[in-house]
Amino acid sequence: MRVAIVGAGAVGRSIAGELLSNGHSVMLIEKDGRKVRTRSVPGAEWVQADACEVSSLEEAQLATCDVVVAATGDDKANLVVSLLAKTEFAVNRVVARVKDPRNEWLYTEAWGVDVAVSTPRVLAALVEEAVTVGDVVRLMSFRKGAANLVEITLSEDTPWVGKPLREVPLPRETVLTAILRGDRVITPSPDEPLEAGDELLFVTHADVEEQLQHVLSPTHPG
């Protein structure tokens, strides 16, 4: 992929390094000349420009990018970049950093945002995911909450232990995407038997999260 990252602070440079190590093409766009340190991310293309200006994005050929990441420390700038990327340059996927959690409600499709990432929310979700058994933990939201990535860890007394996935009556609009078992990542198949302690990752709708939790609870008739 060709990825444009707006904001070359610690967050932007870290994302760039990860993407480059995975073989992607990365362009870093930074307004502040003091932050343009090409040696800090070798292999990345650097552009010193104001990404909130359409002309700057045209010169950077943003339309050739598959993904734009708005990673500055300014929510207003991230929202403007997201909107321009989506509406003016038809970028397929826009990921935006939420600096202040109080502004998270603004990060919607109306502003061109496909995925909003709030560090406090992600950290809280990871804490819950690590210590919570039997409860649905929301890890990430997509498309204004139309779909959520959630995790639930099977308790030892769930009735589904030892039973194949095909027997679990999942709610509508719910897809099991992966099973984490110890250090293994298992691709779900209808014949895969469940085990206590399995971490199940679902993409589902917020309206059925409670139903999903009920289905996998110890009290549900297996």
Side-chain angles (χ1 to χ4, degrees):
M1 293 187 299
R2 177 168 168 77
V3 183
I5 300 172
V6 178
V11 173
R13 294 196 307 271
S14 177
I15 296 169
E18 288 290 330
L19 291 171
L20 285 166
S21 67
N22 289 332
H24 301 296
S25 172
V26 174
M27 174 173 59
L28 277 162
I29 304 176
E30 174 55 55
K31 179 180 179 181
D32 187 348
R34 294 169 298 178
K35 294 182 180 178
V36 177
R37 301 178 223 156
T38 56
R39 293 182 180 178
S40 63
V41 190
E45 175 188 351
W46 286 78
V47 175
Q48 184 180 349
D50 184 352
C52 291
E53 297 287 342
V54 174
S55 57
S56 297
L57 298 178
E58 287 177 341
E59 290 182 16
Q61 297 183 319
L62 201 73
T64 65
C65 295
D66 303 293
V67 181
V68 166
V69 181
T72 78
D74 184 332
D75 284 334
K76 296 188 293 295
N78 288 339
L79 288 169
V80 170
V81 168
S82 298
L83 185 62
L84 292 177
K86 186 65 72 173
T87 60
E88 297 294 326
F89 299 93
V91 175
N92 184 51
R93 192 156 186 80
V94 177
V95 180
R97 173 191 180 192
V98 182
K99 175 66 173 178
D100 186 339
R102 293 174 297 181
N103 295 328
E104 190 171 1
W105 65 277
L106 288 166
Y107 284 70
T108 66
E109 282 185 331
W111 279 95
V113 178
D114 294 308
V115 180
V117 180
S118 170
T119 302
R121 170 167 289 193
V122 170
L123 289 174
L126 290 174
V127 169
E128 289 183 298
E129 185 267 339
V131 301
T132 305
V133 175
D135 291 333
V136 170
V137 177
R138 186 179 298 179
L139 301 177
M140 187 174 292
S141 295
F142 307 96
R143 304 286 183 179
K144 295 188 295 184
N148 297 318
L149 177 65
V150 303
E151 182 270 351
I152 187 166
T153 301
L154 290 180
S155 63
E156 292 184 0
D157 50 355
T158 180
W160 302 112
V161 169
K163 295 187 177 179
L165 282 171
R166 70 159 67 87
E167 295 186 15
V168 182
L170 295 179
R172 60 180 176 80
E173 299 182 25
T174 300
V175 178
L176 178 61
T177 58
I179 301 172
L180 307 183
R181 182 177 297 156
D183 58 358
R184 297 174 59 202
V185 178
I186 299 171
T187 301
S189 69
D191 297 324
E192 182 66 39
L194 294 170
E195 296 182 9
D198 279 354
E199 294 182 49
L200 309 181
L201 297 179
F202 295 93
V203 174
T204 187
H205 195 284
D207 291 346
V208 297
E209 285 180 12
E210 187 175 341
Q211 184 180 347
L212 175 62
Q213 181 171 334
H214 176 68
V215 166
L216 297 173
S217 71
T219 57
H220 190 278

